[in-house]
Amino acid sequence: MLRNKRIILGVTGSIAAYKSSYIVREFIKAGVEVKVIMTLAARDFVTPLTLATLSKHPVLYKFTEDAEAGDWNNHVDLGLWADAMVIAPASANTLAKMAQGICDNLLMATFLSARCPVFVAPAMDLDMYAHDSTTENLKQLTERGVHVIEPVEGELASGLEGKGRMAEPETILSQITAFFSIPGPLRGKRVLITAGPTHEPIDPVRFIANRSTGRMGLAIAEVARDMGAEVYLINGPVNIPIPEGLAGVEYIESADDMFKAVMAQSDLSDIIIMSAAVADYRPLNYSTSKVKKKEGEWSLSLERTNDILGHLGRHKKTGQMLVGFALETDNEMENAEEKLKRKNLDMIVMNSLQDEGAGFGHDTNKVTFIFKDGRIEESTLKSKLDVARDLCRHISNFIK
Ligand code: CTP
């Protein structure tokens, strides 16, 4: 289950840090790609050389390796790279920082940037573990979705006996394996997702486009993949990394290309999510050579593109689920509900450009889910990944 997974192993200052080399070895045996981030205190317990040799990656612990060369260990990239982050051992100090969002080292900055599941394996002396503040910190982290791999009872480095000893590397590995083995609610479903803008060419150098970045669609692809779906992604021109592990990825330019690409996949798909901002109009005539500027005005005649979603709605397969997006500035609910009916959709996700932080170019979005049966669920401002999680949860409830 862990083969080809990418895991960040965070190692913090605890005597159990010596066991991190066994954890790395277990991960490597399971086919995991591991990158190790250490805190400075952890380096007193285990050498970076050991962990770098075992993990086959340089061990990271500083924000920058060579500041003058502009080198920067990008915690955001690391956070996005990982399929899981495992902090083992997690010291009382690190757990407290995680609970408070304190960001004074590379590991904490990566934790705050990570979008993946996070596991902690606490390790400390029994009184530190039993302290109210540690209990409170672990409770808070659990409530926020961090998975705690419970420490065990036993002899501690202090010579005392009690709970606080880090779980054994095999236990840590088996809990993470179990997490990834849970059958996803979209397992066996083929999901077609479109993302990004389209470019409608005027001549070889100019085109008409829109402000879509594709972030929403790519977040949906990532979440649907994690929920077990076989995801086929059709992208307009986007500048952000495409999630790994999708069943297929296709790049297109224009609305017409997207129409053809979607048509080739639609019959094979159980669920189709049209999150792309497909152009409604394209230049009537394409000039094969560059249009030279002249004095005075230039008018461009536009013609309608095919409404892909409308077409899908008219030719919907039995049991197929169709999800559309609506971006509205006025009469939002009325327009979105009208679109849902007109295009024969099962659900429409309405974003209002009136909402601060929603829509194009933001990492956040504020949406309203409108269902075919009239149900409406208004959501608060959330990260696009959380909106994608809500969306996929609604889809899995719908297809149950
Ligand atoms: N869509 C499509 N094909 C198009 C245009 C849009 O499939 N040629 C899809 C989009 O992916 C989105 C939904 O239809 O899921 C948006 O509906 P649309 O009626 O195009 O709404 P808007 O473009 O937002 O605008 P308008 O208010 O002009 O109708």
Side-chain angles (χ1 to χ4, degrees):
M1 286 315 294
L2 294 184
R3 178 152 302 280
N4 297 330
K5 288 265 179 279
R6 298 189 291 198
I7 295 186
I8 289 176
L9 176 67
V11 183
T12 73
S14 151
I15 182 67
Y18 81 92
K19 288 193 187 165
S20 59
S21 45
Y22 296 94
I23 302 175
V24 173
R25 215 183 48 181
E26 292 290 332
F27 278 150
I28 296 287
K29 274 201 277 181
V32 172
E33 188 180 352
V34 197
K35 287 188 183 175
V36 178
I37 306 180
M38 298 178 90
T39 61
L40 282 183
R43 289 157 47 90
D44 291 334
F45 296 96
V46 61
T47 74
L49 181 63
T50 310
L51 298 178
T53 309
L54 291 170
S55 68
K56 305 184 184 77
H57 278 294
V59 167
L60 309 165
Y61 59 95
K62 291 191 285 195
F63 278 106
T64 134
E65 297 295 338
D66 181 356
E68 280 168 29
D71 189 8
W72 170 250
N73 277 328
N74 197 327
H75 48 278
V76 177
D77 285 349
L78 282 166
L80 294 178
W81 172 85
D83 294 311
M85 187 170 179
V86 182
I87 304 185
S91 65
N93 187 38
T94 290
L95 293 172
K97 287 189 202 174
M98 289 171 78
Q100 292 303 315
I102 293 172
C103 188
D104 62 351
N105 62 33
L106 182 66
L107 182 61
M108 287 303 98
T110 307
F111 165 65
L112 290 181
S113 310
R115 294 180 176 183
C116 56
V118 177
F119 298 79
V120 289
M124 64 201 76
D125 213 53
L126 78 166
D127 294 313
M128 293 171 82
Y129 183 68
H131 198 279
D132 286 348
S133 56
T134 305
T135 310
E136 191 54 41
N137 290 336
L138 282 168
K139 182 167 166 270
Q140 267 190 38
L141 290 172
T142 311
E143 280 165 5
R144 288 184 212 146
V146 171
H147 305 271
V148 178
I149 304 174
E150 288 279 314
V152 291
E153 305 251 352
E155 196 186 326
L156 298 159
S158 60
L160 297 173
E161 287 244 355
K163 194 166 177 182
R165 218 165 93 161
M166 185 175 81
E168 288 304 322
E170 298 75 27
T171 312
I172 294 175
L173 190 91
S174 70
Q175 291 209 17
I176 295 163
T177 309
F179 175 86
F180 281 108
S181 313
I182 296 168
L186 295 181
R187 191 154 75 164
K189 298 292 171 198
R190 192 170 162 98
V191 182
L192 174 62
I193 300 170
T194 64
T198 62
H199 286 182
E200 307 304 324
I202 298 169
D203 67 15
V205 291
R206 303 181 180 96
F207 54 80
I208 299 176
N210 58 63
R211 292 183 191 279
S212 167
T213 58
R215 270 186 232 178
M216 193 62 242
L218 266 54
I220 301 168
E222 192 176 328
V223 172
R225 173 205 65 191
D226 289 347
M227 287 171 85
E230 198 184 313
V231 176
Y232 195 94
L233 177 70
I234 302 175
N235 266 326
V238 296
N239 273 326
I240 46 175
I242 305 293
E244 300 276 330
L246 304 185
V249 180
E250 205 173 323
Y251 295 86
I252 55 88
E253 284 269 326
S254 67
D256 195 38
D257 299 339
M258 184 166 278
F259 181 80
K260 290 182 188 129
V262 169
M263 288 310 120
Q265 293 297 325
S266 57
D267 278 355
L268 307 168
S269 308
D270 301 299
I271 299 151
I272 305 181
I273 307 170
M274 283 292 301
S275 73
V278 188
D280 291 320
Y281 291 91
R282 70 172 150 244
L284 181 59
N285 296 306
Y286 171 71
S287 166
T288 49
S289 51
K290 187 185 164 199
V291 179
K292 299 298 284 179
K293 64 177 166 298
K294 298 192 194 95
E295 286 307 314
E297 292 175 0
W298 176 21
S299 314
L300 206 54
S301 294
L302 303 176
E303 64 177 350
R304 285 289 304 270
T305 56
N306 265 321
D307 183 339
I308 307 171
L309 196 51
H311 182 96
L312 291 169
R314 287 192 298 277
H315 300 92
K316 194 155 136 187
K317 265 192 353 178
T318 331
Q320 190 173 54
M321 181 179 189
L322 275 189
V323 180
F325 274 69
L327 185 69
E328 306 290 345
T329 53
D330 313 285
N331 300 327
E332 293 104 331
M333 287 304 287
E334 212 179 301
N335 286 339
E337 279 169 350
E338 183 277 324
K339 240 168 241 181
L340 174 101
K341 289 206 182 76
R342 177 164 45 86
K343 300 199 187 196
N344 190 22
L345 308 181
D346 299 291
M347 176 164 99
I348 194 156
V349 186
M350 198 271 287
N351 314 228
S352 160
L353 275 190
Q354 313 277 15
D355 294 314
E356 187 71 23
F360 298 139
H362 294 282
D363 269 328
T364 48
N365 210 356
K366 185 170 180 307
V367 303
T368 305
F369 297 99
I370 308 169
F371 303 87
K372 175 163 83 173
D373 62 7
R375 271 178 313 121
I376 291 173
E377 193 185 285
E378 215 172 308
S379 148
T380 52
L381 187 72
K382 294 184 175 183
S383 70
K384 288 196 170 163
L385 205 61
D386 281 339
V387 173
R389 289 189 180 115
D390 288 346
L391 171 67
C392 290
R393 183 171 43 81
H394 288 311
I395 291 175
S396 69
N397 287 338
F398 183 90
I399 58 166
K400 249 183 208 162

